[in-house]
């Protein structure tokens, strides 16, 4: 897992032929056969895809004979599912575009980070949307997958990334997916519950303002409509001394989000600070995951 994390730091996500994108294409193709506007159909769709990923993960582990092969398989799977470096680089690019006042270019980049409607956002709105995405995806794209890798090996890595991808594809409260995507959204919530809180702790440790991060987490996280995103966003808001939340415009709806933190609205400089913080949190989470795995192996051997 350490090798996979370092590979992500060095190379980030490949621009073409990424296995996660291939999984998304397969899920979309299956959806054309399984879609029906009800929860059982969505649960069956989600289960079929994730059971398949779990079986693939077990198969890869069984096929890897010897410590070198097992190391390479785990490193490759870890690299495949992590997205922390791509997240940080995109956040840094957004901050640079905002700093030079190129709002049009920043609007073009925003869909790479989140599903907000960029045409409805000015420079401050773009900074806030990007910072919230960096905070939430620090948990979703980095902390959660590597923790599941520590707990459940290659199957845990693949199933988590598949569940998170399905949530992004169908876990929406719109007419098409309100029922069909329910199972994917709830399963993603379950898988992210502990990692989101580990993210909050890592933010406190990696921040220069751990007390402020804790206070914002404790007082504001529960206000967020997501049981997990609120923890990451509130702890980032406190650590950076900014206020997140408020009116949030998506392509087809406007949400009135509660505010998180009690500072000013974030600007480009705050987004740069968020990028530096996410890199520290990612490194800390990788160390925690590797340490947890080593401890489990050591305990098994002496037991």
């Amino acid at each position: 897992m350490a090798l996979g994390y370092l590979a992500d730091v060095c190379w980030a996500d490949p621009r073409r032929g990424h296995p996660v994108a291939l999984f998304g294409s397969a899920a979309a193709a299956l959806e054309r056969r399984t879609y029906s506007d009800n929860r059982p159909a969505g649960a069956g769709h989600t289960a079929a895809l994730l059971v398949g990923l779990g079986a693939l993960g077990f198969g890869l582990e069984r096929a890897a004979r010897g410590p070198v092969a097992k190391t390479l398989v785990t490193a490759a799977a870890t690299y495949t599912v992590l997205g922390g470096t791509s997240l940080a680089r995109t956040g840094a690019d957004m901050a640079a575009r905002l700093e030079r006042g190129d709002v049009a270019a920043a609007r073009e980049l925003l869909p790479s980070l989140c599903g907000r409607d960029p045409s409805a956002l000015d420079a401050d709105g773009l900074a806030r949307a990007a910072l919230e995405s960096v905070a939430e995806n620090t948990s979703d794209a980095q902390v959660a997958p590597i923790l599941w890798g520590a707990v459940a090996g290659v199957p845990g890595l693949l199933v988590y990334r598949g569940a998170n991808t399905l949530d992004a594809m169908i876990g929406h409260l719109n007419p098409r997916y309100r029922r069909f995507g329910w199972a994917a959204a709830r399963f993603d919530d379950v898988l992210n519950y502990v990692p989101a809180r580990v993210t909050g702790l890592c933010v406190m440790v990696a921040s220069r303002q751990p007390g402020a991060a804790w206070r914002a987490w404790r007082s504001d996280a529960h206000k967020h409509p997501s049981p997990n995103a609120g923890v990451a966003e509130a702890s980032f808001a406190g650590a950076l001394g900014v206020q997140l939340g408020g009116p949030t415009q998506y392509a087809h709806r406007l949400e009135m989000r509660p505010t998180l933190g009690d500072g000013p609205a974030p600007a480009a400089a705050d987004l740069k600070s968020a990028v530096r913080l996410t890199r520290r949190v990612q490194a800390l989470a990788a160390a925690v995951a590797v340490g947890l795995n080593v401890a489990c192996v050591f305990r098994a051997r002496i037991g």
Side-chain angles (χ1 to χ4, degrees), residues 1-2 150 286-302:
M1 286 196 302
V288 169
V290 172
L292 175 64
N293 198 264
V294 170
C296 290
V297 171
F298 180 74
R299 182 177 179 181
R301 287 180 176 178
I302 65 173

Side-chain angles (χ1 to χ4, degrees), residues 128-141:
R128 192 199 108 196
L131 202 157
E132 288 173 354
S133 179
V134 167
E136 179 179 359
N137 284 292
T138 297
S139 178
D140 289 357

Side-chain angles (χ1 to χ4, degrees), residues 68-243:
V68 174
K70 290 181 179 180
T71 295
L72 292 176
V73 167
T74 303
T78 303
Y79 169 62
T80 297
V81 304
L82 295 184
T85 297
S86 292
L87 172 68
R89 290 179 181 178
T90 306
D93 190 6
M94 175 67 79
R97 296 182 187 199
L98 291 173
E99 280 192 325
R100 63 176 182 260
D102 195 345
V103 175
R107 286 173 175 158
E108 289 180 0
L109 183 61
L110 187 66
S112 299
L113 285 168
C114 62
R116 310 282 176 87
D117 180 6
S119 65
L121 300 175
D122 58 10
D124 289 343
L126 290 164
R128 192 199 108 196
L131 202 157
E132 288 173 354
S133 179
V134 167
E136 179 179 359
N137 284 292
T138 297
S139 178
D140 289 357
Q142 186 78 17
V143 178
I146 204 166
L147 287 180
W148 277 109
V151 171
V154 174
L157 290 164
L158 300 188
V159 170
Y160 172 79
R161 176 49 64 205
N164 191 245
T165 302
L166 283 176
D167 178 58
M169 293 178 68
I170 66 175
H172 305 296
L173 292 175
N174 59 31
R176 177 175 174 84
Y177 291 125
R178 183 178 297 273
R179 286 175 285 273
F180 184 77
W182 177 85
R186 296 290 77 79
F187 190 59
D188 183 73
D189 285 343
V190 170
L191 292 183
N192 276 295
Y193 188 84
V194 171
R197 283 140 187 88
V198 173
T199 300
L201 292 174
C202 288
V203 170
M204 291 173 57
V205 173
S207 167
R208 295 183 178 86
Q209 299 291 335
W214 165 245
R215 286 191 296 273
W217 174 2
R218 183 182 60 182
S219 63
D220 296 336
H222 67 279
K223 303 174 186 176
H224 197 283
S226 166
N228 301 320
V231 175
E233 291 184 22
S235 58
F236 261 75
L240 298 171
V242 298
Q243 184 177 88

